[in-house]
């Protein structure tokens, strides 16, 4: 089942245009939606999860009209929001059992088998009797995935899932998502480039409500191949460097700025470096900022 989003737009009452004619074709597998804070990712995720209305445009999941057939979408949707808000003081087992009942798994035996299987899948079986409120960030995220998988979803939406996870927890979470992404459309919304680099076969970069790039990470890297130049400078040189070149990023490494510049031709004192997805991301973001804030 493919998700096809066409010319989707959404403005808030304060005049912010959170989505501006967004079109994307999302096949089964892991799809990374990458953008800085405020880009419009959550707005798009909430519209697809039927929690918010769009102003115009369409979104089709196979033959289901996502904007109109909300009940049908909810039956095939798994949603892991950025924050659950309050974590209940009941055990992981009780909570999953409760959600499964709400989602219509009425048969006791069937529900027990489902909850047992989910707890094992997300590696929380041994913690099933513990209160969710006492879980670590990674355990909460894995619990979130377990609840999102009840009902055998065809579309799984995961909003900023790795914020606050330590590297070990993040890896376990990545493995779990990859396993799910073999069969269904999984949209992973994130501002963390590494999430997309490690997980996604397709991706889009959005900023200020607009799609700046859509394609595979491989295509994204090919776009800037041979055009990223690096130089280690002194702190005081940063402004001059910015006015002379198209600086896409600067990072302090051992206390000194290392700048990356996008350029089609060689630059004196700069060395060429193989591009990373982070370079692609920053080259698009800095490009779109240039257009709107020259
Ligand atoms: P992201 O998830 O990429 O951080 P959001 O979709 O949350 O982006 O926000 C996109 C833009 O819309 C931002 O400028 C944000 O401030 C604005 N925005 C989000 N929600 C609301 C709201 N309920 N009312 C007004 N503006 C909002």
């Amino acid at each position: 089942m493919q998700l096809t989003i066409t010319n989707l737009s959404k403005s808030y009452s304060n005049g912010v245009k959170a989505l501006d004619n967004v079109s994307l074709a999302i096949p089964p597998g892991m799809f990374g939606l990458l953008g800085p804070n405020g880009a419009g990712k959550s707005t798009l995720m909430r519209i697809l999860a039927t929690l918010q209305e769009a102003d115009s445009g369409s979104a089709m999941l196979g033959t289901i009209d996502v904007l109109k057939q909300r009940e049908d979408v909810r039956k095939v949707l798994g949603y892991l929001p950025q924050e659950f808000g309050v974590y209940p003081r009941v055990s992981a087992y009780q909570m999953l059992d409760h959600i499964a009942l709400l989602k219509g798994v009425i048969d006791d035996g069937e529900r027990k088998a489902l909850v047992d299987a989910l707890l094992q899948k997300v590696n929380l079986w041994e913690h099933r009797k513990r209160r969710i409120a006492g879980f670590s960030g990674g355990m909460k995220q894995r619990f979130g995935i377990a609840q999102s998988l009840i009902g055998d979803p065809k579309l799984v939406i995961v909003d900023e899932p790795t914020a606050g996870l330590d590297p070990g927890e993040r890896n376990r979470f990545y493995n779990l998502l990859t396993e799910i992404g073999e069969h269904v459309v999984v949209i992973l919304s994130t501002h963390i480039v590494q999430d997309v680099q490690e997980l996604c076969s397709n991706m889009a970069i959005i900023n200020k409500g607009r799609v700046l790039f859509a394609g595979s990470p491989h295509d994204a890297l090919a776009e800037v191949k041979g055009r990223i130049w690096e130089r280690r400078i002194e702190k005081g040189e940063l402004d001059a460097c910015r006015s002379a070149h198209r600086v896409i990023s600067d990072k302090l490494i051992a206390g000194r700025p290392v700048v990356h510049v996008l350029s089609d031709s060689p630059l004196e004192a700069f060395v060429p470096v193989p591009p990373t997805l982070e370079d692609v991301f920053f080259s698009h973001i800095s490009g779109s900022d240039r257009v709107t804030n020259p």
Side-chain angles (χ1 to χ4, degrees), residues 203-222:
M203 61 177 283
I205 297 174
I206 70 167
N207 193 25
K208 297 181 179 165
R210 292 200 189 151
V211 177
L212 305 180
F213 171 85
S216 68
H218 182 267
D219 291 345
L221 290 172

Side-chain angles (χ1 to χ4, degrees), residues 227 229-231 233 237-250 259-271 286 290:
R227 299 167 65 211
W229 304 83
E230 183 179 275
R231 186 180 170 193
I233 58 173
E237 295 174 310
L238 198 50
D239 285 345
C241 190
R242 281 219 178 90
S243 34
H245 305 292
R246 182 157 163 207
V247 174
I248 56 169
S249 69
D250 61 276
V259 294
H260 278 194
V261 164
L262 185 71
S263 167
D264 290 336
S265 47
L267 300 172
E268 207 187 315
F270 282 77
V271 292
S286 69
R290 275 188 166 217

Side-chain angles (χ1 to χ4, degrees), residues 12-14 16 18 35-44 46 82 159-160 189:
Y12 288 106
S13 50
N14 59 0
V16 172
N37 287 330
K41 304 182 296 297
S42 293
T43 302
L44 180 58
R46 286 197 303 262
Q82 230 170 68
D159 202 353
E160 301 269 355
S189 147

Side-chain angles (χ1 to χ4, degrees), residues 134-149:
F135 278 3
S136 72
M139 289 162 74
K140 281 177 182 160
Q141 287 297 53
R142 282 184 281 136
F143 175 82
I145 280 288
Q147 65 78 29
S148 77
L149 292 180

Side-chain angles (χ1 to χ4, degrees), residues 24-138:
L24 290 169
I26 305 183
M30 296 284 301
F31 186 92
L33 185 68
L34 191 60
N37 287 330
K41 304 182 296 297
S42 293
T43 302
L44 180 58
M45 301 295 97
R46 286 197 303 262
I47 289 172
L48 296 175
T50 74
L51 299 173
Q52 205 172 320
E53 293 195 19
D55 297 337
S56 56
S58 76
M60 298 293 297
L61 178 65
T63 56
I64 303 173
D65 186 329
V66 177
L67 305 185
K68 296 194 180 121
Q69 298 168 256
R70 292 178 157 208
E71 282 306 315
D72 294 323
V73 178
R74 286 176 194 155
K75 282 184 199 144
V76 295
L77 173 74
Y79 180 52
L80 177 58
Q82 230 170 68
E83 281 283 337
F84 265 121
V86 180
Y87 288 92
R89 295 182 160 272
V90 297
S91 74
Y93 189 98
Q94 285 169 317
M95 191 65 194
L96 279 184
D97 186 68
H98 179 66
I99 297 171
L101 192 60
L102 289 181
K103 284 203 182 177
V105 190
I106 295 162
D107 183 87
D108 287 350
E110 191 189 330
R111 202 168 61 252
K112 181 173 186 323
L114 172 69
V115 171
D116 285 1
L118 284 172
L119 284 165
Q120 269 154 5
K121 189 179 185 92
V122 302
N123 222 349
L124 287 175
W125 176 250
E126 60 182 294
H127 305 293
R128 67 190 179 281
K129 293 179 184 159
R130 282 178 54 187
R131 288 183 304 135
I132 302 166
F135 278 3
S136 72

